[in-house]
Amino acid sequence: MASAFPPSSIRPILNEVTSLLTSRKETISIAETAAGGIISASLLSVPGASKFYRGGLTLYTLESRIQFAGWTEENKKSYNGPNAEVVSGLAKNVREKLGSTYCLCESGTAGPGGSGATPNRKPDFVALAVASEDGVVTEETTTGVNGDREKNMVEFARLGLELLKRVISENAKGPKI
């Protein structure tokens, strides 16, 4: 019987990423919000994860970002939803604190609701960042699954791992901050 975890849509990219990290003797830390720990749990499901996984934070609330990820009350007051600037800052902070080669950060609007006032507050939007010593690569995208919370969470994780693979492979596309 096949395991239901990690989700089947994540397994292929997960295998590629963990193989790259292991073969290059590099490490990863995770800062995730709307994916709720799926990225970290998926990485930890791989035998030998202790060789590449430095740790992770699920920073779902703005208060947790203040306590664990270098945010200030001013960041909280000016927060307007997930975006490249938010994930870039979180990725840089967590990478530095955990001393990893890379930090993958994800922040999105999983649904089923969302304020919808701006595109980044509509269900299926996600902002992603991968920080490394070379800088931060960011990406903002949508999943196309609208307000299905569970599908969005899994898709946010998959998209994050895809970006991580591109960065590790040095074929990253997207603005460096």
Side-chain angles (χ1 to χ4, degrees):
M1 181 171 149
S3 171
F5 193 86
S8 60
S9 63
I10 292 177
R11 286 184 201 144
I13 188 63
L14 177 66
N15 291 335
E16 291 180 65
V17 165
T18 58
S19 291
L20 281 168
L21 289 168
T22 302
S23 69
R24 295 166 59 122
K25 295 180 175 46
E26 294 177 326
T27 58
I28 183 71
S29 57
I30 304 296
E32 53 194 310
T33 72
I38 292 172
I39 300 169
S40 285
S42 295
L43 288 164
L44 289 170
S45 74
V46 176
S50 61
K51 292 177 183 159
F52 58 80
Y53 184 81
R54 284 284 173 96
L57 298 166
T58 301
L59 302 164
Y60 191 74
T61 65
L62 301 183
E63 291 78 12
S64 68
R65 297 173 194 187
I66 292 170
Q67 292 297 316
F68 301 108
W71 268 36
T72 64
E73 283 294 330
E74 187 56 39
N75 294 119
K76 184 178 169 182
K77 287 177 190 170
S78 65
Y79 181 70
N80 288 314
N83 61 48
E85 183 180 350
V86 167
V87 292
S88 176
L90 291 172
K92 286 190 276 190
N93 183 281
V94 172
R95 178 182 172 271
E96 181 180 300
K97 285 184 176 178
L98 293 177
S100 57
T101 311
Y102 306 98
C103 179
L104 167 59
C105 181
E106 157 286 319
S107 186
T109 306
S115 71
T118 57
N120 67 328
R121 301 296 265 173
K122 293 180 180 169
D124 90 346
F125 174 88
V126 66
L128 304 163
V130 175
S132 72
E133 67 181 7
D134 295 327
V136 182
V137 176
T138 63
E139 181 175 291
E140 293 180 348
T141 191
T142 57
T143 64
V145 296
N146 297 315
D148 187 320
R149 187 173 185 84
E150 290 180 13
K151 284 183 182 175
N152 276 322
M153 291 171 73
V154 171
E155 192 63 7
F156 293 170
R158 188 190 66 76
L159 290 167
L161 290 168
E162 291 280 355
L163 178 61
L164 177 59
K165 178 191 167 201
R166 288 197 310 269
V167 170
I168 294 171
S169 300
E170 301 177 344
N171 293 324
K173 294 182 177 126
K176 284 200 176 186
I177 296 176

